[in-house]
Amino acid sequence: MRASWLLTALLWLASLLLVWQLSIHYAAPKMQRLTVEQASLREERNELRNELDRVMAELALAQRSDQVTRGASQTLQATLAERDEEIAALRADVGFYERLVSGSAQRQGLNVHSLEMTPAEAGSVHYAITLTQSLKKGALTRGEVSLAVEGTLDGRLTELDWRKLRQDANAAPQAFEFRYFQQIEGIIMLPPNFLPQRVRVTARSGGQPTERVYPWPATQPDQPRQPAQKGS
């Protein structure tokens, strides 16, 4: 009886070790890259601060006008503010992946973690969707995800669904399969004279779909991401 109890305990400990190793395997590379980017941005920010001090000193010595001094200072301050925003966003991402690896993150099912839209050539737009889940530790999450873009076309409110964005009447949502997180990328097309206002991401894995709505400016790489939640 005691041997059976010890065997059960050993198997339980082995399963915990396996889950911990899998979480490190899938989340650690992403976390390491984000940490490196954060350190690079912090170094660039420090260099900009030094440049700002140098410019201010030179302007004072040269007795430049207040207008020139103010203009140079505002430009550098704006650049520093942008770098601070990027560092804050990277710090948030690093914190998320650290919690994911350590298992301290609040457990939740399928979730749209982030969306980034980058305009490309001839009306095309590159998208990158990051999906996460921490409810089913080590279990595969399978499903499909799609986008819809709302905006105005020739002054009229218009919604472009997935098939219109992919310019294919038979376009199927994009499939995903992951254990902890996955970034899904692709290209969509926007018609000429279309002014996007917001993007709706719909992810489905089994039952009720998960939706998240992002204002268009918040999806751009140089803007802080502040998504608006839709649904429960």
Side-chain angles (χ1 to χ4, degrees):
M1 184 71 176
R2 184 173 183 179
S4 175
W5 181 85
L6 288 174
L7 179 59
T8 302
L10 287 174
L11 289 174
W12 179 72
L13 289 173
S15 66
L16 290 180
L17 179 60
L18 178 61
V19 169
W20 179 72
Q21 289 292 340
L22 285 173
S23 65
I24 291 178
H25 174 73
Y26 284 97
K30 182 85 171 182
M31 182 180 67
Q32 183 178 6
R33 181 177 64 81
L34 290 172
T35 303
V36 172
E37 291 181 6
Q38 178 182 340
S40 177
L41 285 171
R42 186 181 292 112
E43 182 179 353
E44 184 178 353
R45 182 188 64 179
N46 292 335
E47 292 176 356
L48 286 169
R49 288 192 184 280
N50 293 334
E51 179 68 10
L52 175 61
D53 293 340
R54 185 185 66 79
V55 170
M56 293 296 293
E58 290 180 356
L59 290 174
L61 291 175
Q63 295 183 343
R64 297 283 184 88
S65 67
D66 290 341
Q67 182 178 4
V68 174
T69 302
R70 189 162 45 249
S73 176
Q74 289 176 350
T75 299
L76 287 173
Q77 291 286 3
T79 304
L80 285 171
E82 292 176 359
R83 295 298 178 269
D84 285 339
E85 289 179 357
E86 293 178 12
I87 290 173
L90 285 171
R91 185 179 292 116
D93 287 342
V94 169
F96 168 78
Y97 290 111
E98 285 177 342
R99 291 192 299 273
L100 188 61
V101 171
S102 65
S104 62
Q106 181 180 0
R107 293 191 175 186
Q108 58 183 356
L110 180 62
N111 178 57
V112 181
H113 176 64
S114 64
L115 169 66
E116 187 172 290
M117 309 283 284
T118 307
E121 299 178 353
S124 64
V125 178
H126 175 269
Y127 63 86
I129 306 168
T130 301
L131 302 175
T132 65
Q133 78 86 21
S134 57
L135 188 61
K136 299 181 292 183
K137 291 292 186 180
L140 280 174
T141 297
R142 299 182 179 90
E144 54 189 28
V145 63
S146 62
L147 298 174
V149 181
E150 301 175 7
T152 58
L153 181 61
D154 297 328
R156 301 180 60 180
L157 291 176
T158 304
E159 178 176 301
L160 304 176
D161 61 18
W162 179 249
R163 291 174 296 179
K164 292 179 181 178
L165 293 172
R166 297 303 295 265
Q167 297 186 333
D168 182 355
N170 299 317
Q174 196 164 356
F176 60 80
E177 178 179 303
F178 64 93
R179 283 187 170 84
Y180 297 99
F181 65 90
Q182 182 177 356
Q183 187 172 80
I184 301 171
E185 301 182 57
I187 296 291
I188 59 174
M189 295 294 298
L190 299 180
N193 302 323
F194 180 78
L195 299 177
Q197 295 178 350
R198 62 180 192 166
V199 185
R200 184 174 68 255
V201 183
T202 303
R204 182 185 296 272
S205 177
Q208 186 72 15
T210 298
E211 288 192 353
R212 203 162 191 182
V213 177
Y214 292 81
W216 180 262
T219 67
Q220 306 304 293
D222 58 347
Q223 297 290 336
R225 295 174 290 182
Q226 298 177 343
Q229 186 72 36
K230 181 178 181 181
S232 58

